[in-house]
Amino acid sequence: MSNLKGKSVARGVPGAHGQGSDSRARVSANHGRGSGDFVFDMRPLGRQPGSVRDETRTAHAPDGLGSGLARVPAAAEVALDLRFEAVAEGVLVTGSAVAPLAGECARCLDPLASTMEVSFQELYRYAPDPGEDEADEERFLDGDWLDLEPAFRDAVVLALPLSPLCQEDCPGLCAECGVRLAEAGPQHAHGADVDPRWGLLRQLDVSDRVED
Ligand SMILES: [Zn+2]
Ligand SMILES: [Zn+2]
């Protein structure tokens, strides 16, 4: 989680510098974090502005994608639907990613599983202008290779719910005894706050609750 914006993340695909005929396979094999799935070859697109290519791919989510109560599990399948467009200064990527989402309900802590979809549009430039400092926010191609992973990471991190809920109106846990209120029912209460309708049962001494 600490390396989301580092310059090195957006560049430096091991094995991607050569012009070998079998480059993609080598990139995938050599990409240590198993995220070569997010590296795309821009040679079929070419550099003629206006050139467009659509590509779909199933990639495997990188590690460490999530925070707090919600995350995309490592190696989970991510469906990428992308459009690459050559523009004067680089390649514009527009697309979406659908990924599984795992986590815990922020109120009752039940495990939850769902999916999330993020969309993004990012410009990957061919190279910084002469004399320009490579700003952290910018993304660059590495030769003919475009590593979508940092853009995907940023989009997911922004979209992850801070307080995921198992259901919209999850009542959470009882503040006193920790029981899940969805199971205990609306009448669940303690001491003086007990629902009056239960008063008769309490007189019959079937309740083991502590009297205040
Ligand atoms: Zn819940
Ligand atoms: Zn309780």
Side-chain angles (χ1 to χ4, degrees):
M1 287 303 296
S2 60
N3 197 26
L4 291 183
K5 292 200 178 299
K7 291 177 188 176
S8 60
V9 176
R11 302 184 297 126
V13 179
H17 300 281
Q19 298 294 323
S21 57
D22 190 28
S23 297
R24 176 175 295 174
R26 289 192 294 109
V27 167
S28 296
N30 294 342
H31 209 251
R33 291 171 298 164
S35 53
D37 284 3
F38 287 86
V39 177
F40 290 84
D41 184 356
M42 291 297 105
R43 285 173 296 186
L45 178 70
R47 295 197 173 191
Q48 181 67 41
S51 173
V52 171
R53 264 179 72 88
D54 293 331
E55 192 159 346
T56 58
R57 180 188 289 186
T58 301
H60 294 90
D63 293 339
L65 197 47
S67 59
L69 295 164
R71 63 203 155 266
V72 174
E77 291 194 345
V78 179
L80 299 171
D81 188 354
L82 306 170
R83 164 160 291 195
F84 300 101
E85 182 177 359
V87 296
E89 61 269 56
V91 175
L92 185 66
V93 191
T94 308
S96 64
V98 178
L101 181 65
E104 288 88 45
C105 173
R107 291 184 192 155
C108 73
L109 304 182
D110 260 15
L112 54 87
S114 88
T115 59
M116 68 185 301
E117 175 166 4
V118 295
S119 47
F120 39 81
Q121 183 168 60
E122 296 276 347
L123 176 64
Y124 281 70
R125 295 168 62 195
Y126 293 126
D129 293 331
E132 177 190 19
D133 248 2
E134 293 185 13
D136 278 352
E137 298 299 319
E138 302 234 47
R139 306 195 194 282
F140 294 95
L141 292 160
D142 185 357
D144 290 311
W145 300 93
L146 187 153
D147 184 0
L148 191 68
E149 187 187 311
F152 169 73
R153 274 186 178 276
D154 285 359
V156 167
V157 168
L158 282 174
L160 282 171
L162 293 175
S163 298
L165 298 177
C166 62
Q167 56 189 56
E168 195 70 26
D169 56 350
C170 172
L173 304 176
C174 172
E176 289 202 44
C177 71
V179 74
R180 293 184 64 241
L181 292 173
E183 286 172 0
Q187 77 282 358
H188 180 81
H190 293 265
D193 291 328
V194 70
D195 186 309
R197 285 172 294 178
W198 291 87
L200 185 59
L201 285 176
R202 298 180 71 203
Q203 288 169 24
L204 293 172
D205 201 25
V206 296
S207 169
D208 58 0
R209 288 174 193 137
V210 177
E211 300 288 335
D212 289 334

